[in-house]
Amino acid sequence: MDLKTYLRRNRGDIAKRLLCIAAGSAILTFGIHNIHQVVGITEGGVIGALLLANHWLGIPSSIASPLLDIVCYAVALRLLGAGFLGWSVVSSACIAGFYAIWEHLPHLLPDLSSWPLVAAIAGGVFVGLGAGLVVRAGASAGGDDALALSIQKLSGWRLSRCYLVTDLSVLLLSLSYIPVTKIVFSLITVCISSPLIDFVVGFAEKDVRAESAAESV
């Protein structure tokens, strides 16, 4: 089947995936830019690494995001396959594009620095929903998703547990510039976002199984 025929036959699925990736990218980057970077509560994985790069090196997230993704995708290529990485390239472009948009706008949410617990919860929800939608579309919201999915494939662990492995590693490094009290709130964010991603992806898998069962009747 040539590319033109494939695109014609699957245009509905492709459009649905693109919409899901775009929506997830917008939600994810909005939360990181307007909550995490303002309050100083970090995430784990590559998202936390972006904040590390932004803090210590002054590298904008719109530049650091695709660079870190390339490194992680290169590591995960053999396990995840070219199809997954192809969609992840689309996701990486969307994320970098939305970062560029938010960085040229004033912060659109109130400064939650005085309410770190609220910021931790809200940030976890934004990250969990955004990343979950992207992974649900068969792509990656960042290199940490690719690594977490690779760990899941190798270990058979639940996806949420795989995220915690990468998240906690970055949070330990984040102690170099974030006080221990704020790392506690970062842990709250991680403990919300990781299972939420798992829930969104698992909800999609239930929908697929339900559709398959209906078609077989």
Side-chain angles (χ1 to χ4, degrees):
M1 183 187 301
D2 58 48
L3 179 60
K4 187 175 181 180
T5 302
Y6 173 81
L7 293 175
R8 185 176 66 253
R9 291 183 178 180
N10 296 277
R11 56 189 176 187
D13 179 64
I14 292 172
K16 184 178 179 181
R17 285 192 179 197
L18 287 173
L19 181 61
C20 200
I21 289 171
S25 299
I27 293 170
L28 172 69
T29 55
F30 182 87
I32 293 172
H33 181 72
N34 289 282
I35 298 176
H36 292 250
Q37 290 182 344
V38 172
V39 180
I41 295 177
T42 188
E43 258 280 348
V46 170
I47 296 174
L50 292 180
L51 299 180
L52 271 169
N54 182 263
H55 178 84
W56 287 115
L57 303 176
I59 301 175
S61 297
S62 56
I63 296 175
S65 176
L67 291 178
L68 288 172
D69 286 347
I70 288 171
V71 174
C72 292
Y73 293 151
V75 172
L77 176 60
R78 294 184 64 181
L79 288 171
L80 300 175
F84 177 86
L85 293 186
W87 280 108
S88 296
V89 169
V90 175
S91 171
S92 183
C94 287
I95 288 172
F98 278 111
Y99 271 132
I101 292 172
W102 305 137
E103 287 168 357
H104 285 84
L105 294 174
H107 291 293
L108 301 176
L109 291 178
D111 187 347
L112 297 175
S113 298
S114 299
W115 299 277
L117 180 59
V118 175
I121 295 171
V125 171
F126 271 105
V127 170
L129 288 177
L133 284 172
V134 174
V135 175
R136 174 175 178 164
S140 168
D144 51 339
D145 292 335
L147 289 176
L149 289 165
S150 297
I151 294 171
Q152 181 190 41
K153 187 169 184 179
L154 288 171
S155 65
W157 294 345
R158 289 184 63 85
L159 187 57
S160 56
R161 184 177 180 184
C162 299
Y163 275 108
L164 285 174
V165 170
T166 57
D167 289 344
L168 294 177
S169 299
V170 172
L171 288 179
L172 288 175
L173 293 175
S174 298
L175 285 170
S176 62
Y177 76 101
I178 297 178
V180 175
T181 52
K182 284 195 174 182
I183 288 293
V184 171
F185 292 109
S186 296
L187 286 171
I188 293 173
T189 295
V190 166
C191 289
I192 291 173
S193 63
S194 295
L196 189 53
I197 293 171
D198 207 1
F199 172 79
V200 173
V201 175
F203 188 79
E205 291 172 349
K206 289 178 183 177
D207 287 346
V208 171
R209 288 195 295 268
E211 289 176 5
S212 298
E215 290 174 357
S216 64
V217 175

PDB file of all heavy atoms in Angstrom, residues 152-182:
ATOM      1  N   GLN A 152       8.233  -0.241  30.495  1.00  0.00           N
ATOM      2  CA  GLN A 152       7.039  -1.075  30.626  1.00  0.00           C
ATOM      3  C   GLN A 152       7.148  -2.320  29.740  1.00  0.00           C
ATOM      4  O   GLN A 152       6.809  -3.431  30.166  1.00  0.00           O
ATOM      5  CB  GLN A 152       5.792  -0.283  30.247  1.00  0.00           C
ATOM      6  CG  GLN A 152       4.505  -1.084  30.391  1.00  0.00           C
ATOM      7  CD  GLN A 152       3.308  -0.365  29.780  1.00  0.00           C
ATOM      8  OE1 GLN A 152       3.416   0.233  28.715  1.00  0.00           O
ATOM      9  NE2 GLN A 152       2.178  -0.422  30.466  1.00  0.00           N
ATOM     10  N   LYS A 153       7.639  -2.124  28.515  1.00  0.00           N
ATOM     11  CA  LYS A 153       7.753  -3.256  27.594  1.00  0.00           C
ATOM     12  C   LYS A 153       8.778  -4.273  28.087  1.00  0.00           C
ATOM     13  O   LYS A 153       8.585  -5.487  27.940  1.00  0.00           O
ATOM     14  CB  LYS A 153       8.150  -2.748  26.206  1.00  0.00           C
ATOM     15  CG  LYS A 153       8.120  -3.829  25.142  1.00  0.00           C
ATOM     16  CD  LYS A 153       8.242  -3.250  23.747  1.00  0.00           C
ATOM     17  CE  LYS A 153       8.117  -4.331  22.689  1.00  0.00           C
ATOM     18  NZ  LYS A 153       8.201  -3.777  21.309  1.00  0.00           N
ATOM     19  N   LEU A 154       9.856  -3.790  28.684  1.00  0.00           N
ATOM     20  CA  LEU A 154      10.901  -4.684  29.161  1.00  0.00           C
ATOM     21  C   LEU A 154      10.542  -5.370  30.473  1.00  0.00           C
ATOM     22  O   LEU A 154      10.874  -6.537  30.689  1.00  0.00           O
ATOM     23  CB  LEU A 154      12.212  -3.900  29.351  1.00  0.00           C
ATOM     24  CG  LEU A 154      12.938  -3.467  28.075  1.00  0.00           C
ATOM     25  CD1 LEU A 154      14.078  -2.529  28.421  1.00  0.00           C
ATOM     26  CD2 LEU A 154      13.454  -4.680  27.301  1.00  0.00           C
ATOM     27  N   SER A 155       9.854  -4.630  31.360  1.00  0.00           N
ATOM     28  CA  SER A 155       9.607  -5.133  32.708  1.00  0.00           C
ATOM     29  C   SER A 155       8.220  -5.724  32.919  1.00  0.00           C
ATOM     30  O   SER A 155       8.014  -6.544  33.806  1.00  0.00           O
ATOM     31  CB  SER A 155       9.820  -4.005  33.719  1.00  0.00           C
ATOM     32  OG  SER A 155       8.851  -2.988  33.534  1.00  0.00           O
ATOM     33  N   GLY A 156       7.238  -5.256  32.103  1.00  0.00           N
ATOM     34  CA  GLY A 156       5.863  -5.688  32.321  1.00  0.00           C
ATOM     35  C   GLY A 156       5.175  -4.952  33.469  1.00  0.00           C
ATOM     36  O   GLY A 156       4.063  -5.302  33.853  1.00  0.00           O
ATOM     37  N   TRP A 157       5.819  -3.898  34.008  1.00  0.00           N
ATOM     38  CA  TRP A 157       5.222  -3.123  35.084  1.00  0.00           C
ATOM     39  C   TRP A 157       4.064  -2.285  34.552  1.00  0.00           C
ATOM     40  O   TRP A 157       3.951  -2.051  33.340  1.00  0.00           O
ATOM     41  CB  TRP A 157       6.243  -2.172  35.703  1.00  0.00           C
ATOM     42  CG  TRP A 157       7.380  -2.827  36.416  1.00  0.00           C
ATOM     43  CD1 TRP A 157       7.470  -4.134  36.812  1.00  0.00           C
ATOM     44  CD2 TRP A 157       8.607  -2.204  36.796  1.00  0.00           C
ATOM     45  NE1 TRP A 157       8.662  -4.353  37.437  1.00  0.00           N
ATOM     46  CE2 TRP A 157       9.387  -3.199  37.446  1.00  0.00           C
ATOM     47  CE3 TRP A 157       9.126  -0.917  36.678  1.00  0.00           C
ATOM     48  CZ2 TRP A 157      10.651  -2.928  37.954  1.00  0.00           C
ATOM     49  CZ3 TRP A 157      10.382  -0.644  37.186  1.00  0.00           C
ATOM     50  CH2 TRP A 157      11.141  -1.642  37.816  1.00  0.00           C
ATOM     51  N   ARG A 158       3.225  -1.806  35.478  1.00  0.00           N
ATOM     52  CA  ARG A 158       2.211  -0.821  35.114  1.00  0.00           C
ATOM     53  C   ARG A 158       2.905   0.457  34.667  1.00  0.00           C
ATOM     54  O   ARG A 158       3.979   0.808  35.146  1.00  0.00           O
ATOM     55  CB  ARG A 158       1.285  -0.516  36.297  1.00  0.00           C
ATOM     56  CG  ARG A 158       0.340  -1.658  36.643  1.00  0.00           C
ATOM     57  CD  ARG A 158      -0.597  -1.232  37.765  1.00  0.00           C
ATOM     58  NE  ARG A 158      -1.436  -0.112  37.349  1.00  0.00           N
ATOM     59  CZ  ARG A 158      -2.578  -0.238  36.688  1.00  0.00           C
ATOM     60  NH1 ARG A 158      -3.023  -1.440  36.361  1.00  0.00           N
ATOM     61  NH2 ARG A 158      -3.288   0.824  36.349  1.00  0.00           N
ATOM     62  N   LEU A 159       2.245   1.173  33.752  1.00  0.00           N
ATOM     63  CA  LEU A 159       2.851   2.381  33.192  1.00  0.00           C
ATOM     64  C   LEU A 159       3.136   3.424  34.273  1.00  0.00           C
ATOM     65  O   LEU A 159       4.168   4.099  34.238  1.00  0.00           O
ATOM     66  CB  LEU A 159       1.926   2.969  32.121  1.00  0.00           C
ATOM     67  CG  LEU A 159       2.467   4.150  31.310  1.00  0.00           C
ATOM     68  CD1 LEU A 159       3.771   3.786  30.622  1.00  0.00           C
ATOM     69  CD2 LEU A 159       1.426   4.609  30.290  1.00  0.00           C
ATOM     70  N   SER A 160       2.234   3.551  35.250  1.00  0.00           N
ATOM     71  CA  SER A 160       2.430   4.538  36.313  1.00  0.00           C
ATOM     72  C   SER A 160       3.706   4.259  37.108  1.00  0.00           C
ATOM     73  O   SER A 160       4.415   5.186  37.514  1.00  0.00           O
ATOM     74  CB  SER A 160       1.217   4.550  37.254  1.00  0.00           C
ATOM     75  OG  SER A 160       0.970   3.253  37.776  1.00  0.00           O
ATOM     76  N   ARG A 161       4.009   2.983  37.342  1.00  0.00           N
ATOM     77  CA  ARG A 161       5.225   2.625  38.075  1.00  0.00           C
ATOM     78  C   ARG A 161       6.469   2.985  37.260  1.00  0.00           C
ATOM     79  O   ARG A 161       7.474   3.453  37.818  1.00  0.00           O
ATOM     80  CB  ARG A 161       5.214   1.139  38.392  1.00  0.00           C
ATOM     81  CG  ARG A 161       6.394   0.666  39.231  1.00  0.00           C
ATOM     82  CD  ARG A 161       6.275  -0.820  39.555  1.00  0.00           C
ATOM     83  NE  ARG A 161       7.395  -1.287  40.357  1.00  0.00           N
ATOM     84  CZ  ARG A 161       7.576  -2.547  40.716  1.00  0.00           C
ATOM     85  NH1 ARG A 161       6.696  -3.472  40.363  1.00  0.00           N
ATOM     86  NH2 ARG A 161       8.613  -2.900  41.439  1.00  0.00           N
ATOM     87  N   CYS A 162       6.410   2.805  35.953  1.00  0.00           N
ATOM     88  CA  CYS A 162       7.541   3.138  35.086  1.00  0.00           C
ATOM     89  C   CYS A 162       7.804   4.638  35.087  1.00  0.00           C
ATOM     90  O   CYS A 162       8.965   5.080  35.083  1.00  0.00           O
ATOM     91  CB  CYS A 162       7.263   2.658  33.659  1.00  0.00           C
ATOM     92  SG  CYS A 162       7.020   0.880  33.514  1.00  0.00           S
ATOM     93  N   TYR A 163       6.736   5.426  35.085  1.00  0.00           N
ATOM     94  CA  TYR A 163       6.906   6.875  35.159  1.00  0.00           C
ATOM     95  C   TYR A 163       7.577   7.284  36.467  1.00  0.00           C
ATOM     96  O   TYR A 163       8.419   8.187  36.486  1.00  0.00           O
ATOM     97  CB  TYR A 163       5.550   7.580  35.037  1.00  0.00           C
ATOM     98  CG  TYR A 163       5.109   7.811  33.610  1.00  0.00           C
ATOM     99  CD1 TYR A 163       4.074   7.079  33.060  1.00  0.00           C
ATOM    100  CD2 TYR A 163       5.730   8.768  32.819  1.00  0.00           C
ATOM    101  CE1 TYR A 163       3.665   7.285  31.758  1.00  0.00           C
ATOM    102  CE2 TYR A 163       5.336   8.983  31.517  1.00  0.00           C
ATOM    103  CZ  TYR A 163       4.292   8.238  30.980  1.00  0.00           C
ATOM    104  OH  TYR A 163       3.902   8.448  29.694  1.00  0.00           O
ATOM    105  N   LEU A 164       7.192   6.646  37.556  1.00  0.00           N
ATOM    106  CA  LEU A 164       7.759   7.007  38.853  1.00  0.00           C
ATOM    107  C   LEU A 164       9.269   6.779  38.892  1.00  0.00           C
ATOM    108  O   LEU A 164      10.001   7.545  39.516  1.00  0.00           O
ATOM    109  CB  LEU A 164       7.076   6.212  39.966  1.00  0.00           C
ATOM    110  CG  LEU A 164       5.664   6.671  40.339  1.00  0.00           C
ATOM    111  CD1 LEU A 164       5.045   5.712  41.358  1.00  0.00           C
ATOM    112  CD2 LEU A 164       5.686   8.086  40.898  1.00  0.00           C
ATOM    113  N   VAL A 165       9.738   5.732  38.205  1.00  0.00           N
ATOM    114  CA  VAL A 165      11.176   5.448  38.175  1.00  0.00           C
ATOM    115  C   VAL A 165      11.933   6.622  37.556  1.00  0.00           C
ATOM    116  O   VAL A 165      12.941   7.106  38.112  1.00  0.00           O
ATOM    117  CB  VAL A 165      11.457   4.153  37.381  1.00  0.00           C
ATOM    118  CG1 VAL A 165      12.958   3.987  37.141  1.00  0.00           C
ATOM    119  CG2 VAL A 165      10.913   2.945  38.134  1.00  0.00           C
ATOM    120  N   THR A 166      11.473   7.108  36.392  1.00  0.00           N
ATOM    121  CA  THR A 166      12.156   8.215  35.724  1.00  0.00           C
ATOM    122  C   THR A 166      11.926   9.537  36.461  1.00  0.00           C
ATOM    123  O   THR A 166      12.829  10.365  36.567  1.00  0.00           O
ATOM    124  CB  THR A 166      11.682   8.340  34.271  1.00  0.00           C
ATOM    125  OG1 THR A 166      10.251   8.510  34.234  1.00  0.00           O
ATOM    126  CG2 THR A 166      12.028   7.085  33.479  1.00  0.00           C
ATOM    127  N   ASP A 167      10.720   9.724  36.972  1.00  0.00           N
ATOM    128  CA  ASP A 167      10.389  10.977  37.662  1.00  0.00           C
ATOM    129  C   ASP A 167      11.231  11.178  38.918  1.00  0.00           C
ATOM    130  O   ASP A 167      11.778  12.255  39.158  1.00  0.00           O
ATOM    131  CB  ASP A 167       8.908  11.004  38.039  1.00  0.00           C
ATOM    132  CG  ASP A 167       8.005  11.160  36.829  1.00  0.00           C
ATOM    133  OD1 ASP A 167       8.520  11.555  35.762  1.00  0.00           O
ATOM    134  OD2 ASP A 167       6.800  10.887  36.943  1.00  0.00           O
ATOM    135  N   LEU A 168      11.320  10.137  39.735  1.00  0.00           N
ATOM    136  CA  LEU A 168      12.045  10.254  40.989  1.00  0.00           C
ATOM    137  C   LEU A 168      13.534  10.503  40.763  1.00  0.00           C
ATOM    138  O   LEU A 168      14.181  11.206  41.554  1.00  0.00           O
ATOM    139  CB  LEU A 168      11.842   9.002  41.843  1.00  0.00           C
ATOM    140  CG  LEU A 168      10.408   8.784  42.355  1.00  0.00           C
ATOM    141  CD1 LEU A 168      10.315   7.475  43.128  1.00  0.00           C
ATOM    142  CD2 LEU A 168       9.969   9.953  43.244  1.00  0.00           C
ATOM    143  N   SER A 169      14.076   9.956  39.677  1.00  0.00           N
ATOM    144  CA  SER A 169      15.494  10.184  39.365  1.00  0.00           C
ATOM    145  C   SER A 169      15.759  11.669  39.114  1.00  0.00           C
ATOM    146  O   SER A 169      16.727  12.247  39.623  1.00  0.00           O
ATOM    147  CB  SER A 169      15.903   9.375  38.127  1.00  0.00           C
ATOM    148  OG  SER A 169      15.725   7.991  38.348  1.00  0.00           O
ATOM    149  N   VAL A 170      14.882  12.305  38.339  1.00  0.00           N
ATOM    150  CA  VAL A 170      15.057  13.730  38.032  1.00  0.00           C
ATOM    151  C   VAL A 170      14.787  14.587  39.261  1.00  0.00           C
ATOM    152  O   VAL A 170      15.450  15.606  39.486  1.00  0.00           O
ATOM    153  CB  VAL A 170      14.150  14.141  36.859  1.00  0.00           C
ATOM    154  CG1 VAL A 170      14.164  15.649  36.659  1.00  0.00           C
ATOM    155  CG2 VAL A 170      14.609  13.453  35.586  1.00  0.00           C
ATOM    156  N   LEU A 171      13.826  14.190  40.072  1.00  0.00           N
ATOM    157  CA  LEU A 171      13.524  14.964  41.277  1.00  0.00           C
ATOM    158  C   LEU A 171      14.721  15.004  42.226  1.00  0.00           C
ATOM    159  O   LEU A 171      14.970  16.021  42.882  1.00  0.00           O
ATOM    160  CB  LEU A 171      12.305  14.379  41.992  1.00  0.00           C
ATOM    161  CG  LEU A 171      10.957  14.612  41.301  1.00  0.00           C
ATOM    162  CD1 LEU A 171       9.833  13.958  42.098  1.00  0.00           C
ATOM    163  CD2 LEU A 171      10.687  16.106  41.121  1.00  0.00           C
ATOM    164  N   LEU A 172      15.471  13.910  42.294  1.00  0.00           N
ATOM    165  CA  LEU A 172      16.674  13.903  43.124  1.00  0.00           C
ATOM    166  C   LEU A 172      17.690  14.920  42.611  1.00  0.00           C
ATOM    167  O   LEU A 172      18.314  15.646  43.394  1.00  0.00           O
ATOM    168  CB  LEU A 172      17.297  12.503  43.150  1.00  0.00           C
ATOM    169  CG  LEU A 172      16.534  11.446  43.947  1.00  0.00           C
ATOM    170  CD1 LEU A 172      17.194  10.076  43.775  1.00  0.00           C
ATOM    171  CD2 LEU A 172      16.486  11.818  45.431  1.00  0.00           C
ATOM    172  N   LEU A 173      17.851  15.012  41.283  1.00  0.00           N
ATOM    173  CA  LEU A 173      18.759  16.005  40.700  1.00  0.00           C
ATOM    174  C   LEU A 173      18.246  17.419  40.936  1.00  0.00           C
ATOM    175  O   LEU A 173      19.026  18.366  41.075  1.00  0.00           O
ATOM    176  CB  LEU A 173      18.915  15.749  39.197  1.00  0.00           C
ATOM    177  CG  LEU A 173      19.631  14.465  38.793  1.00  0.00           C
ATOM    178  CD1 LEU A 173      19.588  14.292  37.280  1.00  0.00           C
ATOM    179  CD2 LEU A 173      21.078  14.481  39.284  1.00  0.00           C
ATOM    180  N   SER A 174      16.927  17.561  40.976  1.00  0.00           N
ATOM    181  CA  SER A 174      16.324  18.886  41.151  1.00  0.00           C
ATOM    182  C   SER A 174      16.583  19.466  42.537  1.00  0.00           C
ATOM    183  O   SER A 174      16.387  20.669  42.757  1.00  0.00           O
ATOM    184  CB  SER A 174      14.816  18.806  40.910  1.00  0.00           C
ATOM    185  OG  SER A 174      14.538  18.392  39.590  1.00  0.00           O
ATOM    186  N   LEU A 175      17.028  18.628  43.464  1.00  0.00           N
ATOM    187  CA  LEU A 175      17.399  19.127  44.791  1.00  0.00           C
ATOM    188  C   LEU A 175      18.560  20.115  44.703  1.00  0.00           C
ATOM    189  O   LEU A 175      18.825  20.852  45.657  1.00  0.00           O
ATOM    190  CB  LEU A 175      17.782  17.963  45.710  1.00  0.00           C
ATOM    191  CG  LEU A 175      16.619  17.108  46.243  1.00  0.00           C
ATOM    192  CD1 LEU A 175      17.149  15.865  46.927  1.00  0.00           C
ATOM    193  CD2 LEU A 175      15.768  17.924  47.215  1.00  0.00           C
ATOM    194  N   SER A 176      19.252  20.160  43.553  1.00  0.00           N
ATOM    195  CA  SER A 176      20.374  21.082  43.372  1.00  0.00           C
ATOM    196  C   SER A 176      19.923  22.536  43.302  1.00  0.00           C
ATOM    197  O   SER A 176      20.739  23.439  43.477  1.00  0.00           O
ATOM    198  CB  SER A 176      21.152  20.721  42.097  1.00  0.00           C
ATOM    199  OG  SER A 176      20.318  20.853  40.954  1.00  0.00           O
ATOM    200  N   TYR A 177      18.634  22.770  43.017  1.00  0.00           N
ATOM    201  CA  TYR A 177      18.170  24.158  42.965  1.00  0.00           C
ATOM    202  C   TYR A 177      16.792  24.368  43.589  1.00  0.00           C
ATOM    203  O   TYR A 177      16.332  25.510  43.722  1.00  0.00           O
ATOM    204  CB  TYR A 177      18.154  24.668  41.511  1.00  0.00           C
ATOM    205  CG  TYR A 177      17.014  24.175  40.654  1.00  0.00           C
ATOM    206  CD1 TYR A 177      15.913  24.992  40.404  1.00  0.00           C
ATOM    207  CD2 TYR A 177      17.042  22.921  40.072  1.00  0.00           C
ATOM    208  CE1 TYR A 177      14.865  24.554  39.609  1.00  0.00           C
ATOM    209  CE2 TYR A 177      16.010  22.478  39.277  1.00  0.00           C
ATOM    210  CZ  TYR A 177      14.926  23.301  39.032  1.00  0.00           C
ATOM    211  OH  TYR A 177      13.898  22.853  38.242  1.00  0.00           O
ATOM    212  N   ILE A 178      16.140  23.299  43.982  1.00  0.00           N
ATOM    213  CA  ILE A 178      14.812  23.415  44.584  1.00  0.00           C
ATOM    214  C   ILE A 178      14.883  22.957  46.037  1.00  0.00           C
ATOM    215  O   ILE A 178      15.404  21.872  46.322  1.00  0.00           O
ATOM    216  CB  ILE A 178      13.785  22.566  43.812  1.00  0.00           C
ATOM    217  CG1 ILE A 178      13.651  23.086  42.388  1.00  0.00           C
ATOM    218  CG2 ILE A 178      12.425  22.595  44.504  1.00  0.00           C
ATOM    219  CD1 ILE A 178      12.695  22.272  41.536  1.00  0.00           C
ATOM    220  N   PRO A 179      14.376  23.751  46.986  1.00  0.00           N
ATOM    221  CA  PRO A 179      14.395  23.357  48.394  1.00  0.00           C
ATOM    222  C   PRO A 179      13.634  22.046  48.620  1.00  0.00           C
ATOM    223  O   PRO A 179      12.719  21.707  47.874  1.00  0.00           O
ATOM    224  CB  PRO A 179      13.679  24.522  49.095  1.00  0.00           C
ATOM    225  CG  PRO A 179      13.807  25.676  48.163  1.00  0.00           C
ATOM    226  CD  PRO A 179      13.796  25.092  46.783  1.00  0.00           C
ATOM    227  N   VAL A 180      14.035  21.352  49.667  1.00  0.00           N
ATOM    228  CA  VAL A 180      13.416  20.062  49.986  1.00  0.00           C
ATOM    229  C   VAL A 180      11.909  20.209  50.176  1.00  0.00           C
ATOM    230  O   VAL A 180      11.135  19.346  49.764  1.00  0.00           O
ATOM    231  CB  VAL A 180      14.049  19.460  51.257  1.00  0.00           C
ATOM    232  CG1 VAL A 180      13.314  18.185  51.663  1.00  0.00           C
ATOM    233  CG2 VAL A 180      15.516  19.165  51.031  1.00  0.00           C
ATOM    234  N   THR A 181      11.487  21.339  50.767  1.00  0.00           N
ATOM    235  CA  THR A 181      10.045  21.539  50.997  1.00  0.00           C
ATOM    236  C   THR A 181       9.270  21.573  49.693  1.00  0.00           C
ATOM    237  O   THR A 181       8.146  21.076  49.613  1.00  0.00           O
ATOM    238  CB  THR A 181       9.809  22.843  51.771  1.00  0.00           C
ATOM    239  OG1 THR A 181      10.482  23.927  51.110  1.00  0.00           O
ATOM    240  CG2 THR A 181      10.324  22.729  53.190  1.00  0.00           C
ATOM    241  N   LYS A 182       9.879  22.174  48.656  1.00  0.00           N
ATOM    242  CA  LYS A 182       9.203  22.230  47.355  1.00  0.00           C
ATOM    243  C   LYS A 182       9.262  20.885  46.639  1.00  0.00           C
ATOM    244  O   LYS A 182       8.369  20.559  45.856  1.00  0.00           O
ATOM    245  CB  LYS A 182       9.793  23.335  46.483  1.00  0.00           C
ATOM    246  CG  LYS A 182       9.353  24.732  46.891  1.00  0.00           C
ATOM    247  CD  LYS A 182       9.658  25.756  45.818  1.00  0.00           C
ATOM    248  CE  LYS A 182       9.064  27.114  46.191  1.00  0.00           C
ATOM    249  NZ  LYS A 182       9.302  28.121  45.131  1.00  0.00           N
TER     250      LYS A 182
END
